[in-house]
């Protein structure tokens, strides 16, 4: 059984609608727009989580972000070399 759906009328700039229609493929414009809205809701939810975390723990510094990026880059390099070396 599929999810229930509803029919809605939305207004958007014509160029955006035409670009979405051109990219929607066989699933159609409605599915394309639904997926885009679902992604936006996920982003909004993540932003709310970030706001709560920052209110409780303070904002993440640029240095902390860079340190995590460096760790991720190092892990990726190790992965492409066949994994981390044994200690």
């Amino acid at each position: 059984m599929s999810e229930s759906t509803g029919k809605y009328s939305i207004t958007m700039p014509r160029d955006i609608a035409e670009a979405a229609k051109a990219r929607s493929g066989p699933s159609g414009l409605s599915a394309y727009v639904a997926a885009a809205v679902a992604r936006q809701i996920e982003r909004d939810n993540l932003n709310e989580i970030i706001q709560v975390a920052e209110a409780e723990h303070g904002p993440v510094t640029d240095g902390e972000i860079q340190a995590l990026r460096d760790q991720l880059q190092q892990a990726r390099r190790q992965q492409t070399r066949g994994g981390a070396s044994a200690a």
Side-chain angles (χ1 to χ4, degrees):
M1 183 170 205
S2 64
E3 284 187 41
S4 63
T5 61
K7 188 170 185 168
Y8 303 93
S9 174
I10 61 169
T11 303
M12 70 175 75
R14 188 177 310 265
D15 60 335
I16 293 173
E18 291 302 319
K21 192 174 181 180
R23 292 179 173 265
S24 64
S27 61
L29 181 59
S30 291
Y32 189 86
V33 171
V37 171
R39 280 191 306 275
Q40 185 61 49
I41 290 169
E42 289 173 354
R43 288 180 180 149
D44 293 345
N45 289 340
L46 287 171
N47 283 332
E48 289 173 9
I49 291 169
I50 290 168
Q51 288 174 353
V52 168
E54 286 185 340
E56 186 173 334
H57 304 287
V60 179
T61 67
D62 290 342
E64 291 169 322
I65 292 171
Q66 188 59 51
L68 291 171
R69 285 182 175 152
D70 292 344
Q71 287 177 11
L72 180 59
Q73 187 177 33
Q74 181 180 7
R76 286 179 175 157
R77 280 194 302 264
Q78 288 176 343
Q79 190 176 36
T80 58
R81 286 193 309 243
S85 59

